[in-house]
Amino acid sequence: MGLTRTEIFTKEQNELAILLKAMAHPARVAILQHIIASKTCICGDLVDELGLAQATISQHLKELKNAGLIQGTIEGVSVCYCINPENWEKLKNQLNLFLGGYVASASCC
Amino acid sequence: MGLTRTEIFTKEQNELAILLKAMAHPARVAILQHIIASKTCICGDLVDELGLAQATISQHLKELKNAGLIQGTIEGVSVCYCINPENWEKLKNQLNLFLGGYVASASCC
DNA sequence: ATTATTTATTGCAATATTACGATATATTTT
DNA sequence: AAAATATATCGTAATATTGCAATAAATAAT
């Protein structure tokens, strides 16, 4: 086999898994942190910042964009990326619901 | 290549990515939700609940356990799983820091 | 128009993940 | 001790991910 059986899970479970997967790589965590830290669009300083090839970073950016976590606009010869505010908020809410659903009680195991 | 170059990222970035990856599958989201919803240990009703083979579920449980998100104790012939309270708290804090680091401002792109 | 600059895409090799049947292990019941 | 029950592990096939060199595409500067 080798392919996730998405059809047996709920839409919510699949969507959350997709968002988590988009962030589940140290390079993509680093990219997001860099975008957040710079507090504005970043235009092409990622290749110098991280130690990965340009093609690799472009690929990671594409995945983040596909997941809707970031957005980019062409700015002359370069492309500027920033967080997608709506989706970031949605993700925060979904994760808060998911993670906050657990309330530590008397340990059972 | 095909293997993540962890050495070029920080310990924090790698650890967060590992935790996110552990959750980044609909089956594992479903397993965690089921454990949380039942509010106590669950002992082997996952195979009936989800539509996956026993071997597959055992594998997913192992990954969640390796990541430290759940813990299990042998209870007679079956094994009971529950959330690992300390690590769950840690994950919540790390994610809040990460996700909360972004504050929506005047959109730039 | 040519050259430089920046990002995207393609192609490919190495590795990882997903799923499951078969089988092993471990405990309880008979 | 043998059978039943529950979980783990092994082996394997199918698919996905990661990384990069090479190349394409698109705009800016000369």
Side-chain angles (χ1 to χ4, degrees):
Chain A
M1 314 272 142
L3 82 171
T4 300
R5 292 187 49 195
T6 53
E7 76 278 5
I8 65 171
F9 303 107
T10 68
K11 190 162 165 280
E12 285 72 28
Q13 288 164 343
N14 283 313
E15 283 178 354
L16 183 52
I18 285 171
L19 286 174
L20 290 169
K21 193 147 121 188
M23 297 191 294
H25 189 287
R28 295 196 288 273
V29 169
I31 289 173
L32 291 171
Q33 285 178 334
H34 190 76
I35 293 181
I36 290 171
S38 73
K39 286 192 170 116
T40 173
C41 314
I42 53 159
C43 308
D45 42 336
L46 282 168
V47 178
D48 312 314
E49 213 68 34
L50 312 181
L52 289 170
Q54 182 267 323
T56 308
I57 289 178
S58 183
Q59 213 172 243
H60 282 305
L61 285 168
K62 192 180 174 184
E63 279 184 71
L64 289 171
K65 207 162 56 175
N66 282 345
L69 293 173
I70 63 173
Q71 59 195 197
T73 50
I74 299 168
E75 203 77 44
V77 82
S78 60
V79 177
C80 292
Y81 287 103
C82 63
I83 299 293
N84 180 312
E86 295 86 25
N87 290 345
W88 195 263
E89 201 56 37
K90 255 193 237 169
L91 171 64
K92 270 209 301 202
N93 291 337
Q94 277 195 63
L95 268 180
N96 278 339
L97 236 88
F98 178 49
L99 295 173
Y102 171 70
V103 280
S105 56
S107 67
C108 37
C109 10
Chain B
M1 312 276 141
L3 83 171
T4 299
R5 293 188 48 193
T6 54
E7 76 279 3
I8 65 171
F9 303 106
T10 68
K11 191 161 164 280
E12 285 72 29
Q13 288 165 342
N14 283 312
E15 283 178 353
L16 183 53
I18 286 171
L19 287 174
L20 290 170
K21 195 149 121 185
M23 298 190 295
H25 190 286
R28 296 197 287 275
V29 169
I31 289 173
L32 290 170
Q33 285 178 334
H34 190 76
I35 294 181
I36 290 172
S38 73
K39 286 191 169 117
T40 173
C41 314
I42 54 157
C43 309
D45 41 335
L46 282 168
V47 179
D48 312 313
E49 213 66 34
L50 312 181
L52 289 170
Q54 182 267 323
T56 307
I57 288 178
S58 184
Q59 212 172 243
H60 282 305
L61 285 168
K62 192 180 174 186
E63 279 184 72
L64 289 171
K65 207 163 56 176
N66 283 345
L69 293 174
I70 62 172
Q71 60 194 196
T73 49
I74 299 167
E75 204 78 43
V77 82
S78 59
V79 177
C80 292
Y81 287 103
C82 63
I83 299 293
N84 180 312
E86 295 87 23
N87 290 345
W88 195 263
E89 201 57 36
K90 253 192 239 170
L91 171 63
K92 270 208 300 200
N93 290 337
Q94 277 195 61
L95 269 181
N96 277 339
L97 236 87
F98 179 50
L99 295 173
Y102 171 71
V103 279
S105 56
S107 67
C108 37
C109 8

